[in-house]
Amino acid sequence: MPKYDYIIVGSGIAGLYTALLARQLGTVLILTKGTIEETNTRYAQGGIAAAIGSNDSTNLHFEDTLAAGAGLSDPEHVRILVDEAADRIQDLINFGVPFDTIHGEIALTREGAHSRDRILHAGGDATGEQIEMTLSRLAQMSRITVLENILVTDVIVEQGRATGVRTLDGRTDLAADYEGHFILLTTGGAGRIFRYTTNSPVATGDGVALAYRANAEIRDMEFYQFHPTALRLPGAPPFLISEAVRGEGAILRNKQGKAFAKNYHNLGDLAPRDIVARALLSEMAKDNSDNVFLDVTHLHDAKIATRFPTIYKTCLSHGIDMAKDWIPVSPAAHYMMGGIVTNTWGETTVPGLFTCGETACTGVHGANRLASNSLLEVLIFGKRLIQKTKSILEDKEEMSGIPTSGGSSLAKHSSRDTNDIPLSFSAIQNLMWEQVGMIRNGHDLAKASQTLASWEMDLANEIGAQDQELRNVILTARLMAEAALQRTESRGAHSRSDFDSTANEWEKHINFQKSPS
Ligand code: SIN
């Protein structure tokens, strides 16, 4: 069996960044189920938050992050996030990431629920793409082995320790195992689980599913963020219209042309993302419409085209000139706050298994992520993850994993719990959108959980790569639906019509583990 010091699953910013640091310590294998170019990071437009502006402070960034997290962010972890931000940004600059500047200084913009302008961007609205391109160029020039079109189907666990991975070739279904000293899950998010999403086609929740099956603890899966403004046009994919567009002055308008955001929150168009997204739903329902509009027509044409070149071109390709026309928008699935439980050193509850990025739950986002904290989270905790493995390699520390906090396994369903809807990817996406989406209720969540469990049983004997990916989608969806069913309150991004207020007794996490100890 081929053996590597580091096996990294996923090739977004989390995979590439950790790989570039790890290559100085040992052999590195990146396994990616698509190509190195097709990752969720590439779709990140807004940027990276860091308190580097002259009127800003890490304390303000800390407070804004905790406020967005609605009582469930871990303050110690958030403190690390904001304090180490400037150094990690410098690392990216050293790697060659071309952040946008103005008068020789790094340009900073604002996004929802930030009290200062603190979002760094690159290529205008192509921050993710610029970072991804810089890092993947470096990875391709270095001694890192990258295998594309390889789906990891299981983490191999021996005597309680992760020791390798099982894989299937996505083109041939050929199986192969790889042995690794450190196994890193950096597979990104799960937006594809929902009908409308801003995410890339590879975002199917694989890391969470792999970790759960390996008996790692999973947390906060009920907290899923819906972005308020994705392009909504018949036949067009729900392309992200960055919150930075509102940061530069765009106004949300309903069908009558009225600006409505101030009716929902005093920060108006730049209120926290969950509040804006629900405001859109409410306006759309009042007007019996599929969308509202984003109006940037009052900004200078040149500014629109240079600050948002990707959005401008994409809208134009759909016949919308955003300098003159309002953009039809509606919410879409965007970011998974929960994931694999990890400490601030990337360790999971399974020794040898590490994680960072969207698939991890470091606890910094709590119930709702502050915009542009996600790329930052990757850098901060990815760096610490590699520092931890270095200490282990140098025999200064043990490969011990972190203690579990006492989760429960998913509900047991009997094979008699069948349903009439045939299993397909789009059936899952529709079910998740309609029953586990932005506004939830106990009846629908219970029904969704049961349907997902019966689909899981339908797949039990299928072994091809596509079915294995579907298996991951269903497992991740089940974790979301069951967590959302258990949380009988509304908090942050989790909104229940049958429990519409926040309850003090729910200021706690929901954890899952396959075989709780
Ligand atoms: C955006 O550009 O609106 C998305 C940024 C983020 O999700 O952090």
Side-chain angles (χ1 to χ4, degrees):
M1 195 190 317
K3 188 170 177 186
Y4 291 84
D5 296 311
Y6 292 83
I7 295 182
I8 300 180
V9 186
S11 62
I13 180 179
L16 292 174
Y17 181 66
T18 48
L20 287 169
L21 301 178
R23 80 186 156 156
Q24 284 145 14
L25 305 173
T27 52
V28 179
L29 169 67
I30 295 182
L31 297 168
T32 179
K33 71 175 179 181
T35 61
I36 199 156
E37 277 90 27
E38 183 53 74
T39 73
N40 217 17
T41 309
R42 191 163 261 265
Y43 290 57
Q45 295 175 357
I48 304 189
I52 59 170
S54 55
N55 67 346
D56 203 356
S57 71
T58 52
N59 276 345
L60 287 172
H61 190 185
F62 175 79
E63 281 161 20
D64 292 346
T65 303
L66 287 191
L72 287 187
S73 300
D74 182 322
E76 274 177 46
H77 295 199
V78 175
R79 179 54 70 193
I80 291 170
L81 180 86
V82 300
D83 283 354
E84 296 182 8
D87 288 346
R88 295 295 76 79
I89 296 290
Q90 190 55 50
D91 289 349
L92 280 193
I93 293 170
N94 295 344
F95 276 136
V97 174
F99 286 111
D100 296 335
T101 54
I102 183 158
H103 310 307
E105 302 278 327
I106 288 186
L108 298 171
T109 192
R110 182 141 346 173
E111 288 184 350
H114 284 275
S115 58
R116 293 287 184 277
D117 291 357
R118 64 166 73 99
I119 316 299
L120 293 82
H121 45 90
D125 56 4
T127 314
E129 190 176 352
Q130 291 290 335
I131 296 176
E132 185 78 25
M133 268 165 34
T134 307
L135 299 187
S136 69
R137 208 167 32 236
L138 291 173
Q140 279 159 21
M141 278 164 20
S142 62
R143 291 165 290 109
I144 295 171
T145 309
V146 181
L147 296 182
E148 297 184 326
N149 299 301
I150 300 294
L151 179 77
V152 173
T153 56
D154 283 293
V155 174
I156 300 169
V157 180
E158 290 169 326
Q159 289 157 3
R161 199 191 132 175
T163 57
V165 292
R166 302 224 137 86
T167 70
L168 282 178
D169 188 310
R171 293 154 304 189
T172 60
D173 281 347
L174 274 178
D177 291 353
Y178 297 88
E179 194 180 338
H181 194 55
F182 303 109
I183 313 297
L184 277 57
L185 296 178
T186 59
T187 54
R192 284 282 146 182
I193 284 183
F194 295 93
R195 186 197 300 160
Y196 298 108
T197 180
T198 60
N199 287 190
S200 110
V202 296
T204 54
D206 300 322
V208 166
L210 288 169
Y212 181 79
R213 286 200 293 273
N215 206 30
E217 194 169 43
I218 310 293
R219 175 172 299 162
D220 286 350
M221 290 298 287
E222 66 277 35
F223 297 116
Y224 193 89
Q225 185 170 75
F226 293 82
H227 198 290
T229 55
L231 182 67
R232 185 64 177 271
L233 274 178
F239 178 78
L240 177 69
I241 310 293
S242 174
E243 197 160 281
V245 180
R246 276 174 283 135
E248 299 287 349
I251 299 166
L252 285 162
R253 298 190 184 279
N254 63 17
K255 215 172 164 182
Q256 284 82 46
K258 293 214 173 75
F260 58 82
K262 277 262 186 223
N263 302 340
Y264 295 86
H265 194 281
N266 61 1
L267 290 174
D269 293 297
L270 285 176
R273 209 169 261 185
D274 58 316
I275 292 169
V276 180
R278 285 194 291 270
L280 261 76
L281 270 199
S282 154
E283 293 294 314
M284 283 155 54
K286 272 193 238 161
D287 289 339
N288 193 19
S289 169
D290 271 354
N291 63 277
V292 297
F293 296 96
L294 194 63
D295 173 12
V296 279
T297 55
H298 51 290
L299 300 185
H300 288 297
D301 297 11
K303 168 142 189 170
I304 294 172
T306 51
R307 177 67 184 84
F308 302 109
T310 317
I311 298 173
Y312 181 70
K313 274 190 227 130
T314 306
C315 285
L316 214 50
S317 74
H318 292 290
I320 294 164
D321 178 351
M322 59 195 270
K324 300 190 183 73
D325 309 319
W326 294 352
I327 311 166
V329 290
S330 70
H334 186 62
Y335 190 88
M336 181 170 74
M337 263 78 73
I340 308 161
V341 177
T342 173
N343 62 4
T344 60
W345 298 102
E347 294 171 289
T348 72
T349 57
V350 177
L353 186 65
F354 293 76
T355 187
C356 71
E358 190 170 344
T359 200
C361 182
T362 61
V364 296
H365 306 310
N368 195 17
R369 178 181 62 98
L370 189 65
S372 288
N373 264 354
S374 42
L375 291 178
L376 179 63
E377 182 194 31
V378 169
L379 300 178
I380 304 297
F381 298 107
K383 171 92 174 188
R384 294 169 69 91
L385 184 166
I386 296 300
Q387 284 169 339
K388 175 58 123 190
T389 59
K390 183 166 187 276
S391 298
I392 294 169
L393 286 173
E394 289 168 350
D395 281 331
K396 292 188 189 138
E397 290 188 73
E398 303 242 306
M399 185 105 90
S400 54
I402 54 174
T404 55
S405 49
S408 56
S409 59
L410 284 166
K412 301 268 176 290
H413 288 264
S414 103
S415 52
R416 279 170 291 136
D417 290 343
T418 51
N419 73 84
D420 301 333
I421 315 166
L423 167 60
S424 67
F425 205 143
S426 60
I428 300 169
Q429 291 172 318
N430 288 338
L431 174 109
M432 290 301 285
W433 185 257
E434 278 149 26
Q435 299 183 355
V436 195
M438 285 177 59
I439 311 278
R440 302 153 167 183
N441 67 70
H443 174 265
D444 284 355
L445 289 169
K447 224 166 95 191
S449 303
Q450 205 170 44
T451 307
L452 289 162
S454 82
W455 280 337
E456 193 168 60
M457 282 183 255
D458 291 349
L459 265 189
N461 299 320
E462 305 295 337
I463 52 167
Q466 270 189 358
D467 289 316
Q468 295 306 313
E469 188 185 64
L470 210 52
R471 186 168 75 127
N472 292 343
V473 167
I474 295 174
L475 179 50
T476 307
R478 283 193 70 194
L479 289 160
M480 281 185 198
E482 290 202 16
L485 180 60
Q486 281 185 32
R487 184 170 287 278
T488 48
E489 66 156 356
S490 292
R491 180 185 295 272
H494 171 69
S495 180
R496 294 248 329 221
S497 56
D498 48 351
F499 292 96
D500 59 2
S501 49
T502 303
N504 287 343
E505 68 269 23
W506 269 112
E507 197 166 312
K508 60 183 179 187
H509 299 284
I510 294 175
N511 301 303
F512 285 107
Q513 198 184 7
K514 190 173 165 204
S515 308
S517 36

